[in-house]
Amino acid sequence: MKRRLFPLLLCALFFLSACTPAVRETTAEVELPVDETKYVALTFDDGPRSDTTSVLLDGLQERGASATFFLIGEQIPGNEDLVLRMAAEGHQVGSHTYSHTRLATAADNTIIEEIQKTEVLLTDLLGEGSYWLRPPYGQVDTQRAGLIKTPMIYWSLDPEDWKLLDADKVTKAVLDSIQPGDIVLLHDFYRTSVDAALRIIDALQAEGYVFVTVEELFDVYGTVPEAGVLYANATKIRPW
């Protein structure tokens, strides 16, 4: 644990340097499974996008790594082949609403419509299922959460890839902060994030990490997710 904290302490002391630490949303220690395998879930928001998501899927397949994709509904038309490929290759497919609407301030009927429109698209493509939700910006309040009929997934590690747009910095931010059980937030909308994700997988697989879907991560930790609950990882609920 000390080795993992040391890079973060250096970044805090030398904030004018090029080091950019990831944002950790929970510092709680998670209990490792009995076999002590190091599991982690990479998640990707804002896709699918034809050029970047296809490269990511190729890389995941080559590495035998699974991931979770939270899709924006309006991105699906024209990219149906990518969604079908995600499911066929063992990745988890979820919803990021239809138009990336901020649920914490949206009217009830807007929230229901944003979720249902994406679920209809996914159901038409992949069949009936539970398409877990990542609220845009990770924001939803207690009252509105009651409208959500699936588990909601936040994250425990955010390298702010959308801001950095630099594969080297994103890779370093994740590798400096990663812990077993993490849910890592990335965006397959950016080529720099895709490049970083594949580098992260290569580095962590060499350390014995296994890349699973969020649903598989919950299974590993014996967590039964509940509808309308926002999870930071498989053992910690995100406070409102």
Side-chain angles (χ1 to χ4, degrees):
M1 183 65 182
K2 290 181 179 178
R3 286 189 301 173
R4 290 179 182 146
L5 286 175
F6 185 65
L8 295 179
L9 293 173
L10 285 179
C11 291
L13 291 172
F14 300 102
F15 64 94
L16 293 177
S17 70
C19 180
T20 305
V23 177
R24 176 163 290 286
E25 295 296 339
T26 173
T27 56
E29 291 290 338
V30 290
E31 184 178 351
L32 284 173
V34 176
D35 64 4
E36 295 188 353
T37 300
K38 295 180 287 189
Y39 295 95
V40 69
L42 295 184
T43 64
F44 296 91
D45 288 5
D46 295 356
R49 177 173 169 169
S50 59
D51 53 350
T52 51
T53 306
S54 59
V55 172
L56 176 59
L57 288 172
D58 289 343
L60 293 172
Q61 186 176 48
E62 290 169 4
R63 292 160 175 79
S66 297
T68 300
F69 292 86
F70 292 103
L71 307 182
I72 294 178
E74 63 185 8
Q75 291 285 116
I76 294 175
N79 289 310
E80 291 89 348
D81 57 329
L82 293 174
V83 181
L84 290 168
R85 184 180 171 187
M86 289 171 189
E89 294 179 359
H91 305 296
Q92 183 178 355
V93 178
S95 169
H96 200 36
T97 73
Y98 186 78
S99 59
H100 207 269
T101 295
R102 193 181 294 272
L103 300 185
T105 57
D108 289 1
N109 62 333
T110 299
I111 294 172
I112 293 170
E113 181 181 13
E114 282 281 320
I115 294 171
Q116 286 185 344
K117 286 173 70 175
T118 299
E119 287 187 348
V120 167
L121 289 170
L122 293 175
T123 300
D124 287 347
L125 278 173
L126 306 178
E128 294 291 337
S130 178
Y131 298 106
W132 296 8
L133 175 72
R134 171 164 283 160
Y137 313 101
Q139 297 174 356
V140 64
D141 61 19
T142 304
Q143 178 181 347
R144 291 172 173 84
L147 301 170
I148 312 302
K149 306 305 179 185
T150 66
M152 296 183 290
I153 304 302
Y154 194 73
W155 53 82
S156 55
L157 186 59
D158 176 11
E160 298 187 333
D161 59 317
W162 58 272
K163 182 190 297 183
L164 294 175
L165 298 178
D166 184 307
D168 291 336
K169 291 181 179 179
V170 173
T171 301
K172 178 174 173 53
V174 172
L175 296 182
D176 282 350
S177 303
I178 195 75
Q179 294 179 8
D182 269 336
I183 295 176
V184 183
L185 171 62
L186 293 166
H187 299 78
D188 54 317
F189 200 80
Y190 306 108
R191 182 56 188 259
T192 50
S193 298
V194 170
D195 291 344
L198 301 181
R199 295 182 198 178
I200 289 164
I201 294 170
D202 289 340
L204 293 180
Q205 282 183 333
E207 296 181 15
Y209 276 83
V210 176
F211 290 85
V212 295
T213 67
V214 172
E215 187 170 13
E216 289 169 340
L217 190 68
F218 276 60
D219 287 342
V220 165
Y221 285 91
T223 300
V224 179
E226 299 179 16
V229 177
L230 184 61
Y231 294 89
N233 61 27
T235 64
K236 188 172 182 66
I237 294 173
R238 169 74 176 174
W240 304 109

